[in-house]
Amino acid sequence: MRIVVGEGSCGIAAGAQKVRNALLECDLGSASIGITGCIGMCYLEPIVDIYDDEGKLTRLVKVQPDDAEDIAEYARTGDTSKIERLIVSNEDSEFLEKQTRIALKRCGVINPDEIEDFIEHDGYTALKKCLCELTPEQVIEIIKTSGLAGRGGAGFPTWFKWNAARQSQSDVKYLICNADEGDPGAFMDRAVIESDPHNLIEGMLIGAYAIGAQHAVVYVRAEYPLAIKRLSRAIEQASEKGIIGNNIFGTDFSCDFTIKAGAGAFVCGEETALIESLEGHRGMPRLKPPFPAASGYWQQPSNINNVETFANVSWIINNGGEAFAAMGTENSKGTKVFAVTGKIKRSGLVEIPMGKTLKDVIFDIGGGIKNNKEFKAVQMGGPSGGCIPSELIDTVIDYKALGATGAIMGSGGMVVMDEDTCMVGMAKFFLDFTAKESCGKCIHCRIGTKRMLEMLERITKGEGKDGDIELLEELCYSVKDGALCGLGQTAPNPVLTTIKYFRNEYEAHINEKKCPAGECTDLIEYRIIEDKCKGCTLCARNCPVNAISGEVKKAHVINNETCIKCGKCYSSCKFGAIIKE
């Protein structure tokens, strides 16, 4: 019997290491204990998987250190009576069963710290096939047949970038992986590196062989220490086996690997800004052309793809480009990984074939909205994306269909919002992020995002005025047309889409000085309904500024001049006596 504890960042944050330490102190009989990465069911962490001698899986969820003795008894005796409360429900099992996993196929299955585990699951077979049986041109042709597009957000054909770098003449070329995952709420790349680092290495080595690169570099954000640690170990193990280095698999192909820990600038998601950062400069985009395929890292031909793009490569080589292209839609092939967060019952990592709908992800796989509230919108593509309203819930997930809504596919962030979300406030949140992350190189982005943010801040404070909406739209298009790189060009998207689909909320903020969602603190007041108040004093005891007064068993009153609108009284009242206006 094997006991495997899920120790991705989400599992560790939920207490997985404490669970494993507790298990190690128990008598587990003949059972062994190990770790794995993130299976994607983040809402059920910590997760413990138990495999019997026949390989049958029993998955335990929301495990705590106090459960260790009961798990140990099951390991010794096979009696499930004490762990039945921990076994994943059939309903939750559907979260994985309804997915199609390619990039995530080994995540949460193998031990990311052991190369032998990766090799036992067909690891490095695709690399060996490429080096020993295929020419670089044939590899590029397979990727072309697959229709694999860059998963970092732009959706540019992967084969085209590889071919351009291949055709560039130079004795030195670089293959770079963009693992600087900067979108709020996105954690797809982090999970792949933490859970299946050798898959990234294999995909990158195949890409390096295809373009003729001798050097591979992974640019990963420094806020991912576990990812860096596990990738470093994987590189070391692969080097010891001769999979990284000189004359790989006895061929003429040689390639080394290095890791660069980035400082966390969102603009470094733009490839030329990333190259500037790699070279030790401030991350700011370069003018193009020349493109990186001709003059990139250290002015040498370079190719940049993100983690998920490389994570698909080995599967495509082993299964054929046609198999990958058979999934998805006419213009968007294969599968896509999403980090589903926000007001959703089942948050986590979801990988589905292109062509599924937003409804499939949010309601069928994600289980719908928390507390059974009304679905309002979903933000796609992070700060560079847009808000898609509930009436477009049947939108097909592919690059063209999402683009038609005003949003983008992006790297895969999917933030779900319910009826209590203020869409003006949501636009302000993303503008605050992009304004702070602007590198400042071009005036349109540096000044334009700041001015848009100032207007949104005025509107959410009840200081909006006639003409603000039209002025916002005009400013958005000016920034889109004039910004130098993708950050500035897409920064207005959250504002434009919320105005397009939720203009009534902007008008309510400006004309009525009201927030329909009741979320903007400057535009709401809390009031106690005298007939409903029982005088229990719970609200007064929870108020941090003593803004509530009244005698026991008599109706209380809120002093709105003192009230800081924290909402603690509203959430603590058991009788529905406090309303938000």
Side-chain angles (χ1 to χ4, degrees):
M1 181 177 287
R2 289 190 301 125
I3 300 174
V4 181
V5 182
E7 292 194 14
S9 287
C10 51
I12 292 171
Q17 288 183 331
K18 294 178 181 178
V19 171
R20 180 160 61 95
N21 290 336
L23 286 168
L24 288 170
E25 294 176 0
C26 299
D27 177 11
L28 300 175
S30 59
S32 63
I33 187 165
I35 68 165
T36 188
C38 175
I39 192 69
M41 307 172 80
C42 304
Y43 70 106
L44 293 176
E45 296 285 1
I47 296 173
V48 175
D49 287 342
I50 304 175
Y51 296 88
D52 65 18
D53 294 337
E54 283 74 44
K56 182 182 177 181
L57 169 65
T58 300
R59 173 159 290 144
L60 310 181
V61 298
K62 297 184 179 181
V63 181
Q64 299 301 314
D66 292 344
D67 299 318
E69 283 294 345
D70 293 338
I71 296 172
E73 182 173 332
Y74 168 67
R76 295 191 307 269
T77 67
D79 181 7
T80 62
S81 59
K82 290 187 177 181
I83 64 166
E84 283 181 355
R85 70 187 190 283
L86 301 173
I87 296 176
V88 66
S89 68
N90 291 331
E91 184 178 327
D92 285 317
S93 294
E94 293 177 355
F95 180 85
L96 292 178
E97 292 168 358
K98 293 181 178 180
Q99 298 183 40
T100 301
R101 294 198 153 202
I102 293 178
L104 301 180
K105 66 176 181 176
R106 300 186 192 90
C107 295
V109 177
I110 66 170
N111 185 334
D113 282 338
E114 299 299 333
I115 190 172
E116 296 299 339
D117 212 358
F118 177 75
I119 291 173
E120 286 178 11
H121 287 77
D122 298 323
Y124 292 118
T125 56
L127 175 63
K128 189 171 185 178
K129 178 179 179 180
C130 288
L131 299 188
C132 300
E133 301 176 25
L134 302 172
T135 65
E137 290 76 14
Q138 287 174 320
V139 173
I140 293 173
E141 187 61 30
I142 292 172
I143 299 300
K144 181 179 180 180
T145 301
S146 74
L148 176 66
R151 297 301 196 244
F156 198 76
T158 302
W159 78 269
F160 191 92
K161 293 179 71 173
W162 286 17
N163 192 54
R166 175 74 190 170
Q167 292 179 349
S168 294
Q169 299 301 311
S170 176
D171 293 333
V172 178
K173 295 182 181 180
Y174 293 93
L175 184 96
I176 301 168
C177 174
N178 177 3
D180 189 56
E181 190 171 44
D183 288 8
F187 49 94
M188 303 78 60
D189 293 349
R190 187 202 74 204
V192 170
I193 299 174
E194 289 178 355
S195 306
D196 195 7
H198 288 282
N199 189 29
L200 172 60
I201 293 172
E202 183 173 24
M204 290 184 67
L205 285 171
I206 292 170
Y209 172 68
I211 72 170
Q214 307 84 11
H215 309 284
V217 184
V218 182
Y219 184 97
V220 58
R221 62 192 300 109
E223 291 95 329
Y224 287 174
L226 182 60
I228 293 172
K229 177 183 176 182
R230 288 183 176 165
L231 182 60
S232 298
R233 178 177 170 82
I235 291 171
E236 182 181 335
Q237 291 175 333
S239 298
E240 289 172 356
K241 285 190 170 289
I243 295 170
I244 292 174
N246 295 323
N247 304 114
I248 299 171
F249 289 128
T251 67
D252 294 334
F253 175 63
S254 301
C255 188
D256 58 51
F257 253 83
T258 56
I259 297 175
K260 166 71 174 180
F266 180 64
V267 72
C268 288
E270 199 279 335
E271 58 184 9
T272 61
L274 184 151
I275 290 171
E276 285 288 302
S277 181
L278 273 178
E279 293 179 355
H281 308 139
R282 182 178 177 181
M284 302 176 82
R286 297 174 178 174
L287 287 170
K288 294 184 286 187
F291 293 93
S295 178
Y297 188 37
W298 300 124
Q299 288 72 54
Q300 300 296 336
S302 308
N303 181 88
I304 302 177
N305 292 112
N306 86 321
V307 174
E308 187 186 340
T309 307
F310 287 121
N312 283 295
V313 169
S314 63
W315 189 94
I316 291 170
I317 296 298
N318 279 332
N319 294 274
E322 295 84 356
F324 192 81
M327 293 179 282
T329 65
E330 183 177 351
N331 58 74
S332 301
K333 304 298 184 182
T335 62
K336 180 72 187 79
V337 180
F338 292 97
V340 186
T341 60
K343 304 295 184 66
I344 192 166
K345 291 179 180 177
R346 303 175 195 160
S347 59
L349 289 173
V350 173
E351 184 173 4
I352 55 162
M354 299 276 202
K356 293 284 188 179
T357 66
L358 292 173
K359 186 176 183 180
D360 291 332
V361 175
I362 296 170
F363 286 92
D364 197 24
I365 298 175
I369 310 304
K370 281 183 179 179
N371 302 317
N372 295 318
K373 292 198 172 185
E374 289 294 319
F375 168 65
K376 187 171 188 177
V378 58
Q379 173 77 8
M380 296 284 294
S384 301
C387 292
I388 302 174
S390 58
E391 57 264 30
L392 298 180
I393 188 67
D394 291 317
T395 298
V396 170
I397 296 175
D398 74 4
Y399 291 99
K400 185 176 180 180
L402 290 176
T405 69
I408 60 173
M409 182 83 70
S411 60
M414 188 180 287
V415 183
V416 179
M417 291 163 270
D418 67 10
E419 60 194 76
D420 294 330
T421 303
C422 172
M423 303 311 296
V424 185
M426 182 58 64
K428 183 182 75 170
F429 170 81
F430 285 112
L431 250 295
D432 180 65
F433 179 85
T434 48
K436 289 174 179 174
E437 291 293 332
S438 173
C439 74
K441 186 170 185 176
C442 67
I443 292 174
H444 285 80
C445 182
R446 181 178 74 244
I447 304 299
T449 55
K450 179 65 175 174
R451 293 294 170 262
M452 283 192 286
L453 176 61
E454 289 171 351
M455 292 181 69
L456 290 169
E457 286 174 339
R458 280 198 298 102
I459 292 171
T460 55
K461 288 179 180 178
E463 299 171 1
K465 53 192 177 183
D466 287 343
D468 274 354
I469 298 175
E470 292 74 19
L471 185 58
L472 259 177
E473 290 180 307
E474 182 181 346
L475 189 52
C476 284
Y477 289 116
S478 294
V479 173
K480 284 178 77 72
D481 293 340
L484 176 63
C485 81
L487 186 151
Q489 292 162 8
T490 58
N493 285 349
V495 181
L496 288 171
T497 53
T498 50
I499 291 176
K500 179 179 180 180
Y501 298 117
F502 302 96
R503 191 183 187 94
N504 62 314
E505 292 198 23
Y506 280 84
E507 292 171 344
H509 281 72
I510 295 170
N511 300 328
E512 303 169 28
K513 310 302 179 187
K514 292 288 185 181
C515 175
E519 197 172 52
C520 297
T521 55
D522 289 295
L523 300 181
I524 60 173
E525 283 189 356
Y526 290 96
R527 183 168 62 86
I528 296 176
I529 301 175
E530 186 175 344
D531 294 343
K532 289 188 176 182
C533 181
K534 306 297 182 183
C536 70
T537 75
L538 187 61
C539 60
R541 283 182 278 135
N542 277 280
C543 180
V545 292
N546 299 317
I548 302 176
S549 59
E551 298 179 18
V552 177
K553 295 186 178 180
K554 291 185 178 181
H556 283 46
V557 178
I558 298 175
N559 182 345
N560 280 299
E561 291 184 3
T562 307
C563 176
I564 60 173
K565 304 171 185 178
C566 65
K568 288 189 176 181
C569 59
Y570 180 77
S571 59
S572 64
C573 182
K574 298 179 180 179
F575 306 103
I578 300 178
I579 60 173
K580 182 166 55 174
E581 297 180 319

